[in-house]
Amino acid sequence: MFESRCGVDCSQCERKTDVSCRGCIYMDKPFWGSPCGVKSCCEEKGLNHCGQCREFPCEMLATMGVDQGFDPKPKLENCKAWAKLKLRRASMEDLTAVVSVEAGCFPQAEAAGKEAFAERLRVFGDHFWLLEDEGTLVGFINGLVTNEETIDDLMYEKADLHIENGAWQTVFGVDTIPQYRRKGCAALLLQRLITDAKKQGRKGCILTCKKELVHYYEKFGFQNWGQSQSVHGGALWYDMRLEF
């Protein structure tokens, strides 16, 4: 739901393409070169954005850009809205909602069904995260853990291939309902899974994606390892790997 720490709506920025800015969440430092106090503060506190801070709205945020003629109110309102988004682990009680979201995100040949999700929740529910907006499911991410360096199609069907102490966290899918797309929801889910994998001592994360999404995952540090052997859903996939 966000691309910035401070609440600025990067998708509405007219200069974004000109200065090759991907949003401060995906950049080590702002495009102008000098440090940003708000960005640094959020990252030092381990926050995604200022709306998650107990000191919100602080003076630094409220006065940011005012001397340059920018109105602080829009970004403060964005932070408030973003703060309503909640991440939590899924449970079997979420099965129906999860299946419904999946059906709206993927073609029938690629979408997992009720039985598959029930098994995933039973076997590796700790690796299944939901994103909610005031109680409504807007997206989720899930994947088993394996010692394999690439995803095999059999993994989608057999949750019991999960190895809890395995080396690689897979990403089976990042689902976001249509009205919440291009707002940073997928990024929030992916960052959650990556953070967990690092804390759990994994070697990294692996996924497969279609060609048009290779660039998106590269923003998170994933590398393209070429065309995958996967024939899932009859589509052409690429193996992506993020090594810690």
Side-chain angles (χ1 to χ4, degrees):
M1 197 72 181
F2 51 88
E3 293 180 329
S4 71
R5 305 296 187 194
C6 65
V8 167
D9 187 351
C10 298
S11 64
Q12 302 300 315
C13 178
E14 297 179 354
R15 300 185 59 201
K16 185 175 181 179
T17 302
D18 294 339
V19 298
S20 300
C21 180
R22 295 178 288 128
C24 67
I25 288 178
Y26 310 117
M27 302 171 73
D28 293 331
K29 59 183 179 180
F31 66 84
W32 59 83
S34 59
C36 171
V38 171
K39 172 179 168 63
S40 297
C41 181
C42 277
E43 293 172 358
E44 288 171 2
K45 293 179 178 179
L47 305 176
N48 290 305
H49 57 81
C50 292
Q52 296 177 329
C53 183
R54 64 182 64 184
E55 298 176 25
F56 173 83
C58 68
E59 183 179 357
M60 178 168 59
L61 177 65
T63 59
M64 181 183 181
V66 172
D67 60 340
Q68 300 174 27
F70 293 102
D71 182 1
K73 291 182 181 179
K75 67 173 181 281
L76 296 179
E77 290 301 316
N78 282 339
C79 283
K80 290 179 183 178
W82 297 346
K84 294 179 181 178
L85 292 173
K86 302 296 182 185
L87 277 166
R88 67 172 177 86
R89 284 192 171 91
S91 70
M92 199 62 72
E93 295 178 353
D94 301 303
L95 179 59
T96 299
V98 164
V99 172
S100 177
V101 169
E102 174 87 350
C105 291
F106 290 97
Q108 185 175 0
E110 298 173 17
K114 187 173 183 178
E115 291 185 6
F117 276 124
E119 280 300 289
R120 294 180 189 183
L121 288 167
R122 181 183 67 82
V123 177
F124 55 87
D126 285 345
H127 305 270
F128 203 129
W129 285 91
L130 308 182
L131 182 64
E132 296 179 322
D133 186 352
E134 297 189 310
T136 298
L137 181 62
V138 301
F140 66 84
I141 190 170
N142 72 108
L144 57 72
V145 179
T146 180
N147 285 322
E148 303 298 323
E149 293 186 340
T150 58
I151 292 177
D152 185 283
D153 284 348
L154 195 61
M155 295 179 185
Y156 296 119
E157 303 171 14
K158 295 186 176 295
D160 56 6
L161 292 175
H162 171 70
I163 303 172
E164 183 55 41
N165 62 349
W168 299 92
Q169 171 67 59
T170 68
V171 181
F172 280 175
V174 186
D175 294 45
T176 308
I177 62 176
Q179 57 267 45
Y180 280 79
R181 291 173 188 167
R182 302 185 67 84
K183 296 182 178 180
C185 292
L188 181 59
L189 288 160
L190 195 56
Q191 287 165 349
R192 176 72 269 176
L193 205 67
I194 291 172
T195 297
D196 278 1
K198 286 181 178 179
K199 289 181 178 178
Q200 293 159 1
R202 314 292 181 196
K203 288 185 177 180
C205 297
I206 56 174
L207 58 84
T208 61
C209 70
K210 295 177 180 176
K211 187 175 182 179
E212 60 269 24
L213 288 175
V214 167
H215 176 67
Y216 176 76
Y217 289 109
E218 285 178 339
K219 295 194 299 184
F220 297 88
F222 283 85
Q223 293 183 327
N224 181 5
W225 285 76
Q227 187 174 329
S228 173
Q229 293 185 3
S230 172
V231 293
H232 181 63
L236 177 63
W237 303 91
Y238 288 81
D239 285 320
M240 305 291 291
R241 187 186 306 162
L242 169 64
E243 296 188 42
F244 302 147

